[in-house]
Amino acid sequence: MGAEHGHQLHVHGDSPLHRMAAHHKVLLVVGFVLLIVATPAGTFWPYAVHATLLIGAVALSRVPPAYLARRMVVEVPFVVFALWLPFVATGPRMEVAGLSLSEAGLVAAGGLLAKGTLGVLTALLLAATTDVRDLLEGLRRLRMPAALVEIMGFMVRYLDVVGGELRRMRVALLSRGFDPRSPRHWPVLARALGALFVRSYERGERVHLAMVSRGYRPQASRR
Amino acid sequence: MHVPDGFISAPWSLATGVVAAGAVALALRGARRELDDRTAPLAGLVATFVFAGQMVNFPVAAGTSGHLLGGALAAVLVGPWTATLCLTVVLLVQALLFADGGLTALGTNVILMGVIGVWVGYAVFRLTARAMTAAATRHRPLVPLAAGVGAFVSVPAAAAGFALLFAVGGTAPIALSTLLSAMVGVHLAIGVGEAVITALVVGSVLAVRPDLVHGARGLLPTRTLVSHAEAVS
C-alpha cells in the first residue's frame, strides 16, 4: 500500500487531453454533456456530430477504445429501463414485429440510449485522462467547498485500502464456504460489512489523531 | 439506481443541481455538529465504506441482483447530516471517476439517494424506534429492527422520487401511475434486501461498538464507566 494511488479507471498516458488542466476539462465535459442532454430526441444529425466529436477526442487521448467499451457496462440497468419505455409510454401506437409499441416511447427510448451512452463515454474519457489529485485540485479551483474537496480526497485516498480490506474479507469468507448468492448467508455478509464499518471508522479516528498531532487544524479555524 | 445523463431534461437537471447544492451546503454545516473537527477524515472514511458497501451485491427475485444503496444504513450509523454528505461524495466520485451516474444527473442522484434515501430512512427509523421503545422494555434488538424498517421504506421512497421527477422533468411521455407502480414495485423487492442487510449490519456494529451507532444514542441503556484505579494527579 504505497503512497501513489492511481484510481482504477485512470489510463496513464501522455496526450493533449492528459495534459489539459483538470478544471478546464471538468467544465468542458459538463458543458458537453449538458449540450447532449439538451439535444431534442427524434433528431439524428446533432447526435452524429456529438459522437464524431467524442470519437475524435478518444482518438486524441490514445486511450484504447476496447478499454472504454468494456467499462460501458455501468449503463446496463438503464438500457433495460429504456427498452421497457416503448411498451408503456402513452401516445399513438404502431406495430413492430407483432408488438404494439408507442411511437413517442420509441423516440424517447432512442434519445435516452443515445444520450446515456454519449454521457457515459464522455465521463469515462474524463476519468481515463485525469489523475485524481489533478481532479481534486481542479474541483477546488472551480470553487467547490473546501470541506467537500477534503472529504473527497480522503475517500479517494482510502478507496483502495478499504476496497482491499473488503476483498480480503471476501476471499476469507469464500474459502470457508460462503455462498454470496444465498440469502441464508446474509447474516455472514452483514457481519463482514459491520466489521468493515468499524474498521473504517476506527481508521478515520486514527487518521484524525495523526493529523492533529502533526498540526492539522479543522476547517472552521482556518483562513 | 444511478440515473444517467439524458433521463431528466436539461432545465430540470440544472434545477435539481441547484436544490442538491443547497442540501449539501446544509449538510456541511450539520455534519460539523455531528462530527466537529473530525469531519473530513471520518466522513471520508465513512464515504469509502458506503462505496465499498455498494459493491456488495445480493440476489433479488428472478435472478437479478440489487446492491445496497446505504442511505438509511449510513444515517443510522453516523447521523443523517454526515450520511447526506457521505452519499454526495460517493456519488461525486462515482460520476467523475467511474462514470456511474450521469454528470448532469448528479443533482438528481444526490436528491434521490443522498437526501430522500437518507432522510426518509432516518425519519422512519426514528419514528419506529420511538414507537417500539414505548411498547417494549428490552431495547437492544429494537435499534436494528427499526433501522431495517427505515431502510425498507427508504428504497421505494427514492424510487418514487425518481418517478415523480421523471413525470415532470423526464424525456419520455409515460403515465405517472404506470411508472410509479413499476418503479416502486421493483424497488420493494430491493428494499427487502436492503432492510435485512441494514438491520444485520447495524446489529453487528451494536454488538461490537455500540457507541459508534449514532441512531442508538439515548435508546440503549447507558453504562457507566467503573474505574477501580486511583486517580493520578
Coordinates of all heavy atoms in Angstrom, one line a residue, chain A residues 7-9 29 33 37 74 78 81 84-85 88-90 104 108 112 115-116 119 124 127 135 144 147 151-152 154-155 158-159 162 166 181 186-187 189-190 193-194 197 200-202 205 208 218, chain B residues 2 4-8 10 28 37-38 40-42 44-45 48-49 51-52 56 58-59 77 85 89 92-93 96-99 103-104 171-174 182 193 196-197 200-201 204-205 209 212:
Chain A
H7 N -6.3 5.8 -9.6 CA -7.6 5.1 -9.5 C -7.8 4.2 -10.6 O -7.0 4.2 -11.6 CB -8.8 6.1 -9.3 CG -9.0 6.9 -10.5 ND1 -9.8 6.6 -11.5 CD2 -8.5 8.1 -10.8 CE1 -9.8 7.5 -12.4 NE2 -9.0 8.5 -12.0
Q8 N -8.8 3.3 -10.5 CA -8.8 2.1 -11.4 C -9.0 2.5 -12.8 O -8.6 1.8 -13.7 CB -9.9 1.2 -10.9 CG -9.6 0.5 -9.6 CD -10.8 0.5 -8.7 OE1 -11.8 1.0 -9.0 NE2 -10.6 -0.2 -7.6
L9 N -9.7 3.6 -13.1 CA -10.1 3.9 -14.4 C -9.0 4.8 -15.1 O -9.1 5.0 -16.3 CB -11.4 4.7 -14.5 CG -12.7 3.9 -14.3 CD1 -13.9 4.7 -14.7 CD2 -12.6 2.6 -15.2
V29 N -16.3 19.1 -20.0 CA -17.1 17.8 -20.0 C -18.5 18.1 -19.6 O -19.4 17.6 -20.2 CB -16.4 16.8 -19.1 CG1 -17.3 15.7 -18.7 CG2 -15.2 16.2 -19.8
V33 N -21.8 17.5 -21.9 CA -22.8 16.6 -21.5 C -24.2 17.3 -21.4 O -25.2 16.8 -21.9 CB -22.5 15.9 -20.2 CG1 -23.6 15.0 -19.8 CG2 -21.2 15.1 -20.3
V37 N -27.5 16.5 -23.4 CA -28.8 16.3 -22.7 C -29.9 17.3 -23.3 O -31.1 16.9 -23.4 CB -28.7 16.5 -21.2 CG1 -30.0 16.6 -20.5 CG2 -27.8 15.4 -20.6
V74 N -21.6 -0.1 -17.1 CA -22.3 0.6 -16.0 C -23.7 1.1 -16.4 O -24.6 1.3 -15.6 CB -21.5 1.8 -15.4 CG1 -20.3 1.4 -14.7 CG2 -21.2 2.8 -16.5
F78 N -30.0 0.9 -17.0 CA -30.9 1.9 -17.6 C -31.1 1.6 -19.1 O -32.1 2.2 -19.7 CB -30.3 3.3 -17.4 CG -30.7 3.8 -16.0 CD1 -29.9 3.5 -14.9 CD2 -31.9 4.4 -15.8 CE1 -30.3 3.9 -13.7 CE2 -32.3 4.8 -14.6 CZ -31.5 4.5 -13.5
F81 N -34.3 -0.1 -18.7 CA -35.4 0.9 -18.5 C -35.8 1.5 -19.8 O -37.0 1.6 -20.1 CB -34.9 2.0 -17.5 CG -35.9 3.0 -17.2 CD1 -36.8 2.8 -16.2 CD2 -36.0 4.2 -18.0 CE1 -37.8 3.8 -15.9 CE2 -36.9 5.2 -17.7 CZ -37.8 5.0 -16.7
W84 N -37.8 -0.8 -21.9 CA -39.1 -1.0 -21.4 C -40.1 0.1 -21.8 O -41.3 -0.1 -21.9 CB -39.0 -1.1 -19.9 CG -40.2 -1.2 -19.0 CD1 -41.0 -2.3 -18.9 CD2 -40.7 -0.2 -18.2 NE1 -42.0 -2.0 -18.0 CE2 -41.9 -0.7 -17.5 CE3 -40.3 1.1 -17.9 CZ2 -42.6 0.1 -16.6 CZ3 -41.1 1.9 -17.0 CH2 -42.2 1.3 -16.4
L85 N -39.5 1.3 -22.0 CA -40.4 2.5 -22.3 C -41.4 2.4 -23.4 O -42.5 2.7 -23.2 CB -39.5 3.7 -22.6 CG -39.1 4.6 -21.4 CD1 -38.3 5.8 -21.9 CD2 -40.4 5.1 -20.7
V88 N -44.8 1.0 -22.6 CA -45.7 1.6 -21.6 C -46.0 3.0 -21.8 O -46.9 3.6 -21.2 CB -45.1 1.4 -20.2 CG1 -45.2 -0.1 -19.8 CG2 -43.7 2.0 -20.1
A89 N -45.2 3.7 -22.7 CA -45.4 5.1 -22.9 C -46.8 5.4 -23.6 O -47.3 4.5 -24.2 CB -44.3 5.7 -23.8
T90 N -47.3 6.6 -23.4 CA -48.6 6.9 -23.9 C -48.4 7.4 -25.4 O -47.3 7.5 -25.9 CB -49.2 8.1 -23.1 OG1 -48.2 9.1 -23.0 CG2 -49.5 7.6 -21.7
A104 N -44.1 7.6 -29.5 CA -43.3 8.6 -28.7 C -42.4 7.9 -27.8 O -41.3 8.4 -27.5 CB -44.3 9.4 -27.9
A108 N -38.4 8.4 -27.6 CA -37.8 8.8 -26.3 C -36.7 7.8 -25.9 O -35.7 8.1 -25.4 CB -38.9 8.9 -25.2
L112 N -32.9 8.4 -25.1 CA -32.3 8.1 -23.8 C -31.0 7.3 -24.0 O -30.0 7.5 -23.4 CB -33.3 7.2 -23.0 CG -34.4 7.9 -22.3 CD1 -35.1 7.0 -21.3 CD2 -33.9 9.1 -21.5
K115 N -28.3 9.5 -25.5 CA -27.7 10.5 -24.5 C -27.0 9.8 -23.4 O -25.9 10.2 -23.0 CB -28.9 11.3 -23.9 CG -29.5 12.3 -24.8 CD -30.7 13.0 -24.2 CE -31.4 13.9 -25.2 NZ -32.6 14.5 -24.7
G116 N -27.6 8.7 -22.9 CA -26.9 7.9 -21.8 C -25.6 7.4 -22.3 O -24.6 7.5 -21.6
G119 N -23.1 10.2 -22.7 CA -22.7 10.8 -21.4 C -21.7 9.8 -20.7 O -20.7 10.3 -20.2
L124 N -16.3 8.6 -18.9 CA -15.2 7.6 -18.9 C -13.9 8.2 -19.4 O -12.8 8.0 -18.9 CB -15.6 6.4 -19.8 CG -16.4 5.3 -19.2 CD1 -16.8 4.3 -20.2 CD2 -15.7 4.7 -18.0
A127 N -12.4 10.4 -16.8 CA -11.8 9.6 -15.7 C -10.5 9.0 -16.2 O -9.5 8.9 -15.5 CB -12.7 8.5 -15.3
L135 N -7.7 16.2 -10.4 CA -9.1 16.4 -10.4 C -9.5 17.1 -9.2 O -10.3 18.1 -9.3 CB -9.8 15.0 -10.5 CG -11.3 15.1 -10.6 CD1 -11.7 15.7 -11.9 CD2 -11.9 13.7 -10.5
M144 N -15.5 24.5 -5.5 CA -16.3 23.5 -4.8 C -15.9 23.7 -3.3 O -14.7 24.0 -3.0 CB -16.0 22.1 -5.2 CG -16.9 21.1 -4.7 SD -16.8 19.5 -5.6 CE -15.8 18.6 -4.5
A147 N -14.3 21.9 2.3 CA -14.6 20.8 3.1 C -15.0 19.6 2.2 O -14.5 18.4 2.5 CB -15.7 21.1 4.1
I151 N -13.0 16.0 2.0 CA -13.7 14.7 2.3 C -13.5 13.8 1.1 O -13.1 12.6 1.2 CB -15.2 14.9 2.5 CG1 -15.4 15.7 3.8 CG2 -15.9 13.5 2.6 CD1 -16.8 16.0 4.0
M152 N -13.6 14.3 -0.1 CA -13.5 13.6 -1.3 C -12.0 13.0 -1.4 O -11.8 11.9 -1.8 CB -13.8 14.4 -2.5 CG -14.1 13.6 -3.8 SD -14.7 14.8 -5.1 CE -14.2 13.9 -6.5
F154 N -10.0 12.4 1.0 CA -9.9 11.2 2.0 C -10.5 10.0 1.4 O -10.0 8.9 1.5 CB -10.5 11.6 3.3 CG -9.6 12.3 4.2 CD1 -9.8 13.7 4.4 CD2 -8.5 11.7 4.8 CE1 -8.9 14.4 5.2 CE2 -7.7 12.4 5.6 CZ -7.9 13.8 5.8
M155 N -11.7 10.2 0.8 CA -12.4 9.0 0.3 C -11.5 8.3 -0.8 O -11.3 7.1 -0.8 CB -13.7 9.4 -0.3 CG -14.4 8.2 -0.9 SD -15.9 8.6 -1.8 CE -16.1 7.0 -2.7
Y158 N -8.4 6.5 0.5 CA -8.6 5.2 1.2 C -9.5 4.2 0.5 O -9.8 3.2 1.0 CB -9.2 5.5 2.6 CG -8.1 6.1 3.5 CD1 -8.1 7.5 3.8 CD2 -7.1 5.3 4.0 CE1 -7.1 8.0 4.5 CE2 -6.1 5.9 4.8 CZ -6.1 7.2 5.0 OH -5.1 7.8 5.7
L159 N -9.8 4.6 -0.8 CA -10.7 3.7 -1.6 C -10.0 2.3 -1.7 O -10.6 1.3 -1.5 CB -10.9 4.4 -2.9 CG -12.1 4.0 -3.7 CD1 -13.3 4.3 -2.8 CD2 -12.2 4.8 -4.9
V162 N -9.6 0.4 1.9 CA -10.9 -0.2 2.3 C -11.4 -1.3 1.3 O -11.8 -2.3 1.7 CB -12.0 0.9 2.6 CG1 -13.3 0.2 2.9 CG2 -11.5 1.8 3.7
L166 N -12.0 -5.2 2.1 CA -13.2 -5.9 1.7 C -12.9 -7.2 0.8 O -13.5 -8.2 1.0 CB -14.2 -5.0 0.9 CG -15.5 -5.6 0.5 CD1 -16.4 -5.8 1.7 CD2 -16.2 -4.6 -0.5
R181 N -24.6 -15.9 -3.2 CA -25.9 -15.9 -3.9 C -27.0 -16.3 -3.0 O -28.2 -16.2 -3.3 CB -25.9 -16.7 -5.2 CG -24.9 -16.2 -6.2 CD -25.4 -16.3 -7.6 NE -26.6 -15.5 -7.7 CZ -26.5 -14.2 -8.1 NH1 -25.4 -13.6 -8.4 NH2 -27.7 -13.5 -8.2
W186 N -26.8 -14.1 4.3 CA -26.8 -12.7 4.5 C -26.3 -12.3 5.9 O -25.6 -11.2 6.0 CB -28.2 -12.1 4.4 CG -28.6 -11.9 2.9 CD1 -27.8 -12.2 1.8 CD2 -29.8 -11.4 2.4 NE1 -28.4 -11.8 0.7 CE2 -29.7 -11.4 1.0 CE3 -31.0 -11.0 3.0 CZ2 -30.7 -11.0 0.1 CZ3 -32.0 -10.6 2.1 CH2 -31.9 -10.5 0.7
P187 N -26.6 -13.0 7.0 CA -26.0 -12.6 8.3 C -24.5 -12.6 8.2 O -23.9 -11.7 8.8 CB -26.5 -13.7 9.2 CG -27.7 -14.2 8.6 CD -27.5 -14.1 7.1
L189 N -22.6 -12.0 5.6 CA -22.3 -10.8 4.8 C -22.4 -9.6 5.6 O -21.5 -8.7 5.6 CB -23.2 -10.8 3.6 CG -23.0 -9.7 2.5 CD1 -21.7 -10.1 1.8 CD2 -24.1 -9.7 1.6
A190 N -23.5 -9.5 6.4 CA -23.7 -8.3 7.2 C -22.7 -8.1 8.3 O -22.3 -7.0 8.6 CB -25.1 -8.4 7.8
L193 N -19.7 -6.7 6.7 CA -19.9 -5.3 6.5 C -19.8 -4.5 7.8 O -19.2 -3.4 7.8 CB -21.2 -5.0 5.8 CG -21.3 -5.2 4.3 CD1 -22.7 -4.9 3.7 CD2 -20.3 -4.3 3.6
G194 N -20.4 -5.0 8.8 CA -20.3 -4.4 10.1 C -18.9 -4.2 10.6 O -18.5 -3.1 11.0
F197 N -17.3 -1.5 8.6 CA -17.6 -0.2 9.1 C -16.8 0.2 10.3 O -16.2 1.3 10.4 CB -19.1 -0.1 9.4 CG -19.4 1.2 10.1 CD1 -19.5 2.4 9.4 CD2 -19.7 1.2 11.5 CE1 -19.8 3.6 10.0 CE2 -20.0 2.4 12.1 CZ -20.0 3.6 11.4
S200 N -13.3 0.9 9.2 CA -13.2 2.2 8.5 C -13.3 3.3 9.5 O -12.5 4.3 9.4 CB -14.3 2.3 7.5 OG -14.3 1.2 6.6
Y201 N -14.2 3.3 10.4 CA -14.5 4.4 11.3 C -13.2 4.5 12.2 O -12.7 5.7 12.4 CB -15.7 4.1 12.2 CG -16.2 5.3 12.9 CD1 -17.2 6.1 12.3 CD2 -15.7 5.7 14.1 CE1 -17.7 7.2 12.9 CE2 -16.2 6.8 14.7 CZ -17.2 7.6 14.1 OH -17.7 8.7 14.7
E202 N -12.7 3.4 12.7 CA -11.6 3.5 13.6 C -10.3 4.0 12.9 O -9.5 4.7 13.4 CB -11.3 2.1 14.3 CG -12.4 1.8 15.3 CD -12.2 0.5 16.0 OE1 -11.5 -0.4 15.4 OE2 -12.9 0.2 17.0
E205 N -10.6 7.6 12.8 CA -10.2 8.2 14.1 C -8.7 8.3 14.2 O -8.1 9.3 14.6 CB -10.8 7.4 15.3 CG -12.3 7.6 15.4 CD -12.9 6.7 16.5 OE1 -12.4 5.6 16.7 OE2 -13.9 7.1 17.1
H208 N -7.3 10.9 12.0 CA -7.6 12.3 12.5 C -6.6 12.6 13.6 O -6.0 13.7 13.7 CB -9.0 12.3 13.1 CG -9.3 13.6 13.9 ND1 -9.4 13.5 15.2 CD2 -9.3 14.9 13.5 CE1 -9.6 14.8 15.7 NE2 -9.6 15.6 14.6
P218 N -8.8 22.2 12.1 CA -10.0 21.9 11.4 C -10.4 23.1 10.5 O -10.0 24.2 10.8 CB -11.1 21.6 12.5 CG -10.5 22.2 13.7 CD -9.0 22.1 13.6
Chain B
H2 N -28.5 4.5 -10.2 CA -27.8 5.8 -10.6 C -28.4 6.3 -11.9 O -28.3 5.6 -12.9 CB -26.3 5.5 -10.7 CG -25.6 5.2 -9.4 ND1 -26.1 4.3 -8.6 CD2 -24.6 5.8 -8.9 CE1 -25.3 4.2 -7.5 NE2 -24.4 5.2 -7.7
P4 N -28.5 8.1 -15.2 CA -27.5 8.6 -16.2 C -28.0 9.9 -16.8 O -29.1 10.4 -16.6 CB -27.4 7.4 -17.2 CG -28.7 6.8 -17.2 CD -29.3 7.0 -15.8
D5 N -27.1 10.4 -17.7 CA -27.4 11.6 -18.4 C -28.6 11.4 -19.4 O -28.8 10.3 -19.9 CB -26.2 12.1 -19.3 CG -25.1 12.5 -18.4 OD1 -25.4 13.4 -17.5 OD2 -24.0 12.1 -18.6
G6 N -29.4 12.4 -19.6 CA -30.4 12.3 -20.6 C -31.8 11.8 -20.1 O -32.8 11.9 -20.9
F7 N -31.9 11.4 -18.9 CA -33.2 10.9 -18.4 C -34.0 12.1 -17.9 O -35.2 12.1 -18.1 CB -33.0 9.9 -17.2 CG -32.8 8.5 -17.7 CD1 -31.8 8.1 -18.5 CD2 -33.8 7.6 -17.4 CE1 -31.7 6.9 -18.9 CE2 -33.7 6.3 -17.8 CZ -32.6 5.9 -18.6
I8 N -33.4 13.1 -17.4 CA -34.1 14.3 -16.9 C -33.6 15.4 -17.8 O -32.5 15.5 -18.2 CB -33.7 14.6 -15.4 CG1 -33.9 13.4 -14.5 CG2 -34.4 15.8 -14.9 CD1 -35.4 13.0 -14.3
A10 N -32.6 19.0 -19.6 CA -31.6 19.9 -19.2 C -32.0 20.9 -18.1 O -31.4 21.1 -17.1 CB -31.0 20.6 -20.4
L28 N -23.2 20.2 5.1 CA -21.8 20.5 5.5 C -21.9 21.1 6.9 O -21.0 20.9 7.8 CB -21.2 21.5 4.6 CG -20.5 20.8 3.4 CD1 -20.1 21.9 2.3 CD2 -19.2 20.1 3.9
D37 N -14.5 18.6 14.6 CA -13.3 18.8 13.8 C -12.9 17.5 13.1 O -11.9 17.5 12.4 CB -12.2 19.5 14.5 CG -11.6 18.5 15.6 OD1 -12.5 17.9 16.2 OD2 -10.4 18.5 15.8
R38 N -13.5 16.4 13.4 CA -13.1 15.2 12.8 C -13.8 15.0 11.5 O -13.7 13.9 10.9 CB -13.4 14.0 13.7 CG -12.7 14.1 15.1 CD -13.3 13.0 16.0 NE -14.7 13.1 16.1 CZ -15.5 12.1 16.6 NH1 -14.9 11.0 16.9 NH2 -16.8 12.3 16.6
A40 N -13.6 15.9 8.2 CA -13.0 15.5 7.0 C -12.6 14.0 7.0 O -13.0 13.2 6.1 CB -11.9 16.4 6.6
P41 N -11.7 13.6 7.9 CA -11.2 12.2 7.8 C -12.4 11.2 8.0 O -12.5 10.2 7.3 CB -10.2 12.1 8.9 CG -10.3 13.3 9.7 CD -11.0 14.3 8.9
L42 N -13.2 11.5 9.0 CA -14.3 10.5 9.3 C -15.3 10.4 8.2 O -15.7 9.3 7.8 CB -15.0 10.8 10.6 CG -14.2 10.3 11.8 CD1 -14.9 10.6 13.1 CD2 -14.0 8.8 11.7
G44 N -14.8 11.1 5.2 CA -14.2 10.5 4.0 C -14.1 9.0 4.2 O -14.4 8.2 3.2
L45 N -13.8 8.5 5.4 CA -13.7 7.0 5.6 C -15.1 6.4 5.5 O -15.3 5.3 5.0 CB -13.0 6.7 6.9 CG -11.5 6.4 6.8 CD1 -11.2 5.2 6.0 CD2 -10.7 7.5 6.3
T48 N -16.0 6.1 2.0 CA -15.3 4.9 1.4 C -16.1 3.6 1.8 O -16.2 2.7 0.9 CB -13.9 4.8 1.9 OG1 -13.3 6.1 1.9 CG2 -13.1 3.9 1.0
F49 N -16.5 3.5 3.0 CA -17.3 2.4 3.5 C -18.6 2.2 2.7 O -18.9 1.1 2.2 CB -17.6 2.4 5.0 CG -18.6 1.5 5.4 CD1 -18.4 0.1 5.5 CD2 -19.9 2.0 5.7 CE1 -19.4 -0.7 5.9 CE2 -20.9 1.1 6.1 CZ -20.6 -0.3 6.2
F51 N -19.2 3.3 -0.3 CA -18.8 2.9 -1.6 C -18.5 1.4 -1.7 O -19.0 0.7 -2.6 CB -17.6 3.7 -2.1 CG -17.1 3.5 -3.5 CD1 -17.7 4.2 -4.5 CD2 -16.2 2.5 -3.7 CE1 -17.3 3.9 -5.8 CE2 -15.8 2.2 -5.0 CZ -16.4 2.9 -6.1
A52 N -17.7 0.9 -0.7 CA -17.4 -0.5 -0.7 C -18.7 -1.3 -0.5 O -18.9 -2.3 -1.1 CB -16.4 -0.8 0.4
V56 N -21.2 -4.6 -2.8 CA -21.7 -5.9 -2.4 C -23.1 -6.1 -3.0 O -24.0 -5.4 -2.8 CB -21.8 -6.0 -0.9 CG1 -22.4 -7.3 -0.5 CG2 -20.4 -5.8 -0.3
F58 N -26.5 -8.4 -3.7 CA -27.3 -9.5 -3.1 C -28.4 -9.9 -4.1 O -28.9 -9.0 -4.8 CB -27.8 -9.1 -1.7 CG -28.6 -7.9 -1.7 CD1 -29.9 -7.8 -2.0 CD2 -28.0 -6.7 -1.2 CE1 -30.6 -6.6 -2.0 CE2 -28.7 -5.5 -1.2 CZ -30.0 -5.5 -1.6
P59 N -28.7 -11.2 -4.1 CA -29.7 -11.6 -5.1 C -31.1 -11.1 -4.8 O -31.5 -11.1 -3.6 CB -29.6 -13.1 -5.0 CG -29.1 -13.4 -3.7 CD -28.2 -12.2 -3.3
L77 N -26.0 4.9 11.3 CA -24.6 4.7 11.9 C -24.0 6.0 12.2 O -23.3 6.1 13.3 CB -23.7 3.9 10.9 CG -24.0 2.4 10.7 CD1 -23.1 1.8 9.7 CD2 -23.9 1.7 12.0
L85 N -23.8 14.0 3.4 CA -22.5 14.4 2.9 C -21.8 13.2 2.3 O -21.2 13.3 1.2 CB -21.7 15.0 4.1 CG -20.7 16.0 3.8 CD1 -21.3 17.1 3.0 CD2 -20.2 16.6 5.1
V89 N -20.6 12.7 -1.6 CA -19.2 12.5 -2.1 C -19.1 11.2 -2.8 O -18.4 11.1 -3.9 CB -18.2 12.5 -0.8 CG1 -16.8 12.1 -1.2 CG2 -18.2 13.9 -0.2
L92 N -20.4 11.8 -6.2 CA -19.5 12.6 -7.0 C -18.3 11.8 -7.5 O -18.0 11.9 -8.7 CB -19.0 13.7 -6.0 CG -18.5 15.0 -6.5 CD1 -19.5 15.7 -7.3 CD2 -18.0 15.9 -5.4
V93 N -17.8 11.0 -6.7 CA -16.6 10.1 -7.1 C -17.1 9.1 -8.2 O -16.4 8.9 -9.2 CB -16.0 9.4 -5.9 CG1 -15.1 8.3 -6.3 CG2 -15.3 10.4 -5.0
L96 N -17.6 11.1 -11.4 CA -16.4 11.7 -12.0 C -15.3 10.6 -12.4 O -14.6 10.7 -13.3 CB -15.8 12.7 -11.1 CG -16.5 14.1 -11.1 CD1 -15.9 14.9 -10.0 CD2 -16.3 14.8 -12.4
L97 N -15.2 9.6 -11.5 CA -14.1 8.7 -11.7 C -14.6 7.3 -12.2 O -13.8 6.5 -12.7 CB -13.3 8.4 -10.4 CG -12.6 9.7 -9.8 CD1 -11.9 9.3 -8.6 CD2 -11.7 10.2 -10.8
F98 N -15.9 7.0 -12.1 CA -16.3 5.7 -12.5 C -17.4 5.7 -13.6 O -17.9 4.7 -14.0 CB -16.8 4.9 -11.3 CG -15.7 4.5 -10.3 CD1 -15.3 5.4 -9.4 CD2 -15.0 3.3 -10.4 CE1 -14.3 5.1 -8.5 CE2 -14.0 3.0 -9.6 CZ -13.6 3.9 -8.6
A99 N -17.8 6.9 -14.0 CA -18.8 7.1 -15.0 C -20.1 6.4 -14.6 O -20.9 6.0 -15.4 CB -18.4 6.7 -16.4
L103 N -23.2 13.0 -15.2 CA -22.6 14.2 -14.6 C -23.8 15.3 -14.4 O -23.9 15.9 -13.4 CB -21.5 14.8 -15.4 CG -20.2 14.1 -15.3 CD1 -19.2 14.5 -16.4 CD2 -19.6 14.3 -13.9
T104 N -24.6 15.3 -15.4 CA -25.7 16.3 -15.4 C -26.8 15.8 -14.4 O -27.6 16.5 -14.0 CB -26.3 16.6 -16.7 OG1 -26.8 15.4 -17.3 CG2 -25.3 17.2 -17.7
T171 N -37.9 12.7 -20.1 CA -37.8 12.9 -21.5 C -38.6 12.0 -22.3 O -38.4 11.8 -23.5 CB -36.3 12.8 -21.9 OG1 -35.8 11.6 -21.3 CG2 -35.5 14.0 -21.5
A172 N -39.6 11.3 -21.6 CA -40.5 10.4 -22.3 C -41.9 10.5 -21.8 O -42.1 10.8 -20.6 CB -40.0 8.9 -22.1
P173 N -42.9 10.5 -22.7 CA -44.2 10.6 -22.3 C -44.7 9.2 -21.7 O -44.8 8.2 -22.4 CB -45.0 10.9 -23.6 CG -44.2 10.2 -24.6 CD -42.8 10.2 -24.2
I174 N -44.9 9.2 -20.4 CA -45.3 8.0 -19.8 C -46.2 8.3 -18.6 O -46.0 9.3 -17.9 CB -44.1 7.1 -19.3 CG1 -44.5 5.9 -18.6 CG2 -43.1 8.0 -18.5 CD1 -43.4 4.9 -18.4
A182 N -44.4 0.6 -11.4 CA -43.3 -0.2 -11.8 C -42.1 0.0 -11.0 O -41.5 -0.9 -10.5 CB -43.0 0.0 -13.3
G193 N -34.1 -6.7 0.6 CA -32.7 -7.0 0.8 C -32.0 -5.9 1.6 O -31.3 -6.2 2.5
V196 N -32.9 -6.1 5.3 CA -32.3 -7.2 6.0 C -30.8 -6.9 6.3 O -30.4 -7.1 7.4 CB -32.5 -8.6 5.3 CG1 -31.7 -9.7 6.0 CG2 -34.0 -8.9 5.1
I197 N -30.2 -6.5 5.2 CA -28.7 -6.3 5.3 C -28.5 -5.1 6.3 O -27.6 -5.2 7.2 CB -28.1 -5.9 4.0 CG1 -28.3 -7.0 2.9 CG2 -26.6 -5.6 4.1 CD1 -27.3 -8.1 2.9
L200 N -29.0 -6.2 9.9 CA -28.0 -7.1 10.4 C -26.7 -6.4 10.6 O -26.0 -6.6 11.6 CB -27.8 -8.3 9.4 CG -28.9 -9.3 9.3 CD1 -28.8 -10.2 8.1 CD2 -29.0 -10.1 10.6
V201 N -26.4 -5.4 9.7 CA -25.1 -4.7 9.8 C -25.2 -3.8 11.1 O -24.3 -3.8 11.9 CB -24.9 -3.8 8.6 CG1 -23.7 -2.9 8.9 CG2 -24.6 -4.6 7.4
S204 N -24.7 -6.0 14.1 CA -23.3 -6.4 14.3 C -22.5 -5.3 14.8 O -21.6 -5.5 15.7 CB -22.8 -7.1 13.1 OG -22.4 -6.1 12.1
V205 N -22.7 -4.1 14.4 CA -21.9 -3.0 14.9 C -22.3 -2.7 16.3 O -21.4 -2.4 17.2 CB -22.1 -1.7 14.0 CG1 -21.3 -0.5 14.6 CG2 -21.6 -1.9 12.6
R209 N -19.3 -2.2 18.8 CA -19.0 -0.8 19.3 C -20.3 -0.1 19.3 O -20.6 0.7 18.5 CB -18.1 -0.1 18.3 CG -16.6 -0.5 18.2 CD -15.8 0.1 19.4 NE -15.9 1.6 19.5 CZ -15.0 2.4 19.0 NH1 -14.0 2.0 18.3 NH2 -15.1 3.7 19.1
L212 N -20.6 3.6 18.5 CA -20.5 4.2 17.2 C -21.8 4.4 16.5 O -21.9 5.1 15.5 CB -19.6 3.3 16.3 CG -18.1 3.2 16.6 CD1 -17.4 2.6 15.5 CD2 -17.6 4.6 16.9

